[in-house]
Amino acid sequence: MLSLKRLVYIILIVAVVGALFLLYSQYGSRTTAIQSKDPSAQERAFVETRQIAEGDKPRAWVFGDAEAESFGDIRNNVLQLCEDMHLVTFQKDRFDADEVRQHDLVVFCDAALSHYANASELEEFVEEGGRVLFAAGIGSGEEEFAFWPMLGLEERMAEQDCHELAFEKPLLPLQPEKTGYAGSSHSAQLEVDPDASVYLRDAESGTPLLYTRTRQEGSVCLINGEFLADAEAGGLFTGATCALMPDFIYPILGVKAVFLDGLFTAAAADDELCRQTYGYSANGFLQNVVWPLFQGMSLRANAPLTSSLLVEASSGEAFAPVDKDLIAEVGASVLQFNGELIYAADLAESGKIVIDEESLARFSEAFANYTVRGLALEAGDPSSEVIFELSNELGADIRAIRGMLDAGEVRFLWEDGRFVFPVATKGADLDDGGMFEVCSVLGAYGMVSHVFDISTLSAWEGPATAWETDKEQIELFESEILSGTPWLESKTLLQVGDEVKSYQDMEYDWTVGESQVKLELSGVVVGQAFMYHTKGRIANAEGLDYEEIGNGYYVLRVREPHAAIVLEEGV
């Protein structure tokens, strides 16, 4: 006969074992039952493809030397931005007023202005209604003095790097009052005429960094420095264009995507530091501290997250140990909240590709019914011929590639149902230049595409205050960027395919009347977004939906191939 003590032991053992089996069954079913969604079911309708006449669509004339140091990068970025804005673009060696229409945009991508234009001819063009953007500042040579009166320049002094920027007038759809800048601006210290409209200054010296000046019927804009050598600073170009060109329209992506890299790996060497500082192992810290922060952000901002697992690299040394339980638990949570799991490749070095078979096996074991369709390029810049071949090595049906904004022709690529969508910004350093880059890309492309690399967070460096700093920056990203852009649609990587196809393949034309703007569209997805900047206000519209987002900007989403905007009278 069993004693009471033994009976209690048996009951406790049975209860514990039963609970473990229950947890295992619930946990196991949660991962193995996950199914991949068919991306074809998400495809949206496109308007018919037809011939679009150029009409009065603005044209851009770009002057600059592709081989010039820094200025060559500015020229190439400006040409790329003009292409992305679907402007009819001409590249010339010298400015000729007889070739250019008054409502065309003229852009100089070199500080040596005298190499490309005669100052008196250019000033006459402006006074008669022309619009000119000096995208690379103005040089210090005597030959440039002739351009000073047109630009309202009173003094030009030594160059400096500006790292604290202050916005004085609305330039971007979303902009802070002050922001850091991490690049090298090479901006000259300037004194300008009081009639100049300064949009951006150096917060410390007060020197104008972007300003416009009206000259009779036309206007000029000077970007003081080499900001546009950085692809992430493209918003200064679109903002300057909108400041020069009344009622300006350009296509945008209209989406926001957030990527988490390194969420499933934590080096064992970090265990002791994490235990001492946070009371968790490295894996425990990822699972119980880092992931809940992003999970909460995703829920509050209704922003599904795309998380990657590194499985391809140029060298096996790039791989860190992967914990199967961490993949299963956190990965299941990512998917539970409408997120996406993708593979990642680090191709920083040329040579053969190494595959982490162990990580692939652990992922497949945790998610037997989930098919990965996306791949993130963490480093490297493969050509368009190679970029989709990466999936062949994995034996996966990769349809979406996460690329990089400065990757030229493969930034936005659509080919036989497969596409590239670029990451534009990264990191938890918004106060140190990150906020400027996010807002700038938002202005240029109407998108947020940001990656947080968990392996670079300060948590691994200690002390606890370092993690608190990163946490504050992540929360700032949520409050200012994700919650501050309700007019952008939240997407995972695989979900932005239609936007990429439409953005790349569309044709459109628009004309501006006294109180009406007309759009003609071809090959765009229904819901294709455009940014519209105006000094007026929209009274109503046909064939499109519109939303005022501030700073003179509207977001338009088209429904029909013919659309029209009616402006309020007397505004």
Side-chain angles (χ1 to χ4, degrees):
M1 185 172 179
L2 291 174
S3 67
L4 180 61
K5 187 175 182 179
R6 285 187 176 183
L7 180 62
V8 171
Y9 282 156
I10 292 172
I11 293 173
L12 287 174
I13 291 172
V14 171
V16 170
V17 172
L20 289 174
F21 273 110
L22 179 62
L23 287 172
Y24 178 79
S25 63
Q26 291 178 339
Y27 174 71
S29 63
R30 184 169 64 154
T31 57
T32 57
I34 289 173
Q35 302 280 338
S36 295
K37 296 180 181 179
D38 182 2
S40 62
Q42 308 295 324
E43 292 180 358
R44 292 142 55 194
F46 283 71
V47 304
E48 72 269 21
T49 300
R50 55 200 179 86
Q51 187 66 36
I52 298 291
E54 290 184 2
D56 293 328
K57 181 178 178 180
R59 305 182 300 179
W61 299 77
V62 179
F63 302 88
D65 183 357
E67 303 301 323
E69 185 176 358
S70 297
F71 298 133
D73 291 335
I74 293 175
R75 171 188 172 277
N76 293 337
N77 285 337
V78 165
L79 287 172
Q80 186 67 70
L81 285 160
C82 289
E83 179 181 332
D84 292 338
M85 296 165 75
H86 290 64
L87 301 180
V88 180
T89 307
F90 303 91
Q91 302 176 55
K92 293 288 184 176
D93 295 327
R94 291 286 298 182
F95 172 79
D96 185 348
D98 293 332
E99 294 181 315
V100 185
R101 302 181 306 201
Q102 288 185 351
H103 55 281
D104 290 349
L105 177 65
V106 176
V107 187
F108 292 96
C109 301
D110 196 321
L113 305 178
S114 58
H115 291 178
Y116 308 97
N118 175 276
S120 59
E121 180 187 17
L122 188 63
E123 185 166 11
E124 182 179 355
F125 167 76
V126 172
E127 290 175 346
E128 292 176 353
R131 296 172 175 87
V132 179
L133 171 57
F134 300 91
I138 182 171
S140 57
E142 293 184 5
E143 300 87 351
E144 318 312 322
F145 288 169
F147 295 88
W148 284 33
M150 174 174 43
L151 290 167
L153 272 179
E154 296 181 349
E155 189 173 5
R156 184 192 188 283
M157 295 166 281
E159 292 184 354
Q160 61 182 2
D161 280 333
C162 302
H163 297 297
E164 294 293 331
L165 313 182
F167 287 93
E168 288 199 359
K169 291 179 178 293
L171 182 71
L172 305 174
L174 182 69
Q175 65 185 41
E177 290 185 9
K178 291 186 179 181
T179 181
Y181 177 68
S184 299
S185 66
H186 298 290
S187 304
Q189 298 179 58
L190 303 178
E191 293 289 342
V192 300
D193 193 279
D195 67 357
S197 295
V198 178
Y199 289 79
L200 185 66
R201 288 186 189 272
D202 175 54
E204 295 181 355
S205 67
T207 193
L209 299 178
L210 190 152
Y211 71 90
T212 61
R213 188 166 183 262
T214 300
R215 296 289 289 169
Q216 296 185 22
E217 299 300 318
S219 57
V220 298
C221 177
L222 179 78
I223 298 178
N224 176 19
E226 299 175 8
F227 294 98
L228 293 183
D230 299 327
E232 297 82 7
L236 295 185
F237 177 80
T238 53
T241 301
C242 288
L244 286 172
M245 312 279 285
D247 295 296
F248 193 78
I249 298 175
Y250 59 99
I252 58 174
L253 275 298
V255 299
K256 49 188 171 185
V258 181
F259 301 92
L260 302 181
D261 289 352
L263 185 59
F264 305 122
T265 57
D270 297 317
D271 275 345
E272 184 176 353
L273 175 62
C274 281
R275 291 186 192 280
Q276 291 176 352
T277 308
Y278 307 103
Y280 290 100
S281 67
N283 281 346
F285 184 80
L286 286 177
Q287 184 171 336
N288 297 299
V289 179
V290 174
W291 167 240
L293 175 65
F294 286 104
Q295 183 183 48
M297 178 180 74
S298 174
L299 287 170
R300 289 186 295 269
N302 190 27
L305 303 174
T306 302
S307 188
S308 64
L309 174 67
L310 183 65
V311 296
E312 286 185 311
S314 303
S315 169
E317 296 178 358
F319 303 122
V322 175
D323 184 89
K324 184 182 69 174
D325 293 336
L326 186 65
I327 292 178
E329 180 66 22
V330 176
S333 188
V334 170
L335 297 175
Q336 179 184 359
F337 296 102
N338 299 316
E340 180 183 358
L341 300 179
I342 62 176
Y343 294 141
D346 181 350
L347 307 180
E349 303 174 8
S350 60
K352 69 176 183 178
I353 297 175
V354 179
I355 296 179
D356 187 354
E357 300 288 356
E358 184 176 353
S359 292
L360 280 174
R362 290 180 176 179
F363 181 90
S364 298
E365 184 179 352
F367 300 100
N369 297 320
Y370 185 83
T371 302
V372 174
R373 299 185 185 275
L375 178 69
L377 294 180
E378 294 184 356
D381 184 16
S383 65
S384 58
E385 291 79 15
V386 174
I387 197 166
F388 287 121
E389 295 180 5
L390 296 170
S391 60
N392 296 334
E393 301 287 339
L394 298 172
D397 183 22
I398 300 297
R399 314 304 296 173
I401 299 283
R402 192 192 81 191
M404 301 164 196
L405 188 64
D406 58 356
E409 65 175 5
V410 295
R411 298 170 320 131
F412 298 102
L413 178 67
W414 175 274
E415 182 181 290
D416 298 328
R418 299 179 296 181
F419 66 91
V420 179
F421 177 76
V423 155
T425 55
K426 60 179 60 179
D429 58 349
L430 298 184
D431 289 336
D432 190 28
M435 182 65 76
F436 169 78
E437 292 182 352
V438 172
C439 292
S440 173
V441 170
L442 181 63
Y445 295 97
M447 73 172 185
V448 173
S449 181
H450 191 85
V451 59
F452 291 100
D453 186 346
I454 308 304
S455 65
T456 64
L457 294 180
S458 301
W460 310 125
E461 301 171 5
T465 52
W467 165 246
E468 290 301 318
T469 299
D470 278 342
K471 181 181 176 183
E472 290 175 0
Q473 294 292 289
I474 295 167
E475 291 171 344
L476 180 65
F477 178 83
E478 176 190 343
S479 62
E480 296 298 318
I481 304 301
L482 292 183
S483 298
T485 54
W487 40 274
L488 295 179
E489 296 181 351
S490 294
K491 302 272 188 176
T492 64
L493 176 62
L494 191 61
Q495 293 172 341
V496 298
D498 287 342
E499 280 78 8
V500 171
K501 185 177 189 298
S502 177
Y503 185 74
Q504 280 292 79
D505 296 345
M506 77 166 70
E507 291 188 29
Y508 79 101
D509 185 19
W510 52 278
T511 55
V512 179
E514 290 186 4
S515 61
Q516 190 178 67
V517 180
K518 294 183 178 180
L519 285 89
E520 299 291 329
L521 304 142
S522 173
V524 304
V525 67
V526 174
Q528 167 66 49
F530 288 82
M531 199 77 81
Y532 173 42
H533 183 269
T534 178
K535 293 182 179 179
R537 292 183 60 83
I538 297 179
N540 56 69
E542 298 178 358
L544 60 82
D545 300 315
Y546 63 90
E547 181 177 358
E548 187 173 8
I549 60 175
N551 291 349
Y553 288 89
Y554 286 84
V555 165
L556 315 176
R557 292 190 181 270
V558 299
R559 301 191 309 268
E560 306 291 341
H562 310 279
I565 299 169
V566 178
L567 300 174
E568 292 183 359
E569 296 183 2
V571 178

